[in-house]
């Protein structure tokens, strides 16, 4: 995976390994970096409860920063 990912990309955190997370649990809003180690940081709009998938009772309203080495782009959904 190539970083930085563009603003607007749907992503998930590496700690979110359940199947529904593949569709993304956050959206990139801002990018910082690269830093001396080559990493970037992403300001994301993420779900209120990190451990649950996005839904009406778990909206993506929490701003937080994720390191690029912990940020994975959401999978493309094909059928």
């Amino acid at each position: 995976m190539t970083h930085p990912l563009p603003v607007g990309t749907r992503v998930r955190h590496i700690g979110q390994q359940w199947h529904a997370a593949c569709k993304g649990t956050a959206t990139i809003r801002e990018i910082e970096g690269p830093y001396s180690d080559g990493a970037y940081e992403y300001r994301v709009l993420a779900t209120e409860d990190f451990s649950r998938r996005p839904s009406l009772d778990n909206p993506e309203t929490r701003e937080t920063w994720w390191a690029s080495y912990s940020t994975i782009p959401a999978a493309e959904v094909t059928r």
Side-chain angles (χ1 to χ4, degrees):
M1 149 182 25
T2 302
H3 288 281
L5 300 169
V7 169
T9 301
R10 294 283 299 153
V11 294
R12 67 181 175 95
H13 191 277
I14 196 167
Q16 297 171 315
Q17 295 295 325
W18 65 94
H19 179 71
C22 292
K23 296 179 183 175
T25 59
T27 303
I28 294 175
R29 296 294 188 212
E30 181 181 347
I31 303 163
E32 297 270 331
Y35 297 110
S36 60
D37 64 353
Y40 292 83
E41 284 186 301
Y42 299 113
R43 182 176 57 88
V44 299
L45 196 57
T47 55
E48 287 296 316
D49 184 345
F50 179 83
S51 65
R52 294 175 39 226
R53 69 180 180 186
S55 64
L56 291 176
D57 65 340
N58 191 30
E60 293 179 29
T61 55
R62 182 176 57 93
E63 285 190 354
T64 189
W65 288 89
W66 290 353
S68 58
Y69 51 80
S70 297
T71 305
I72 301 169
E76 293 293 325
V77 177
T78 58
R79 292 188 184 237

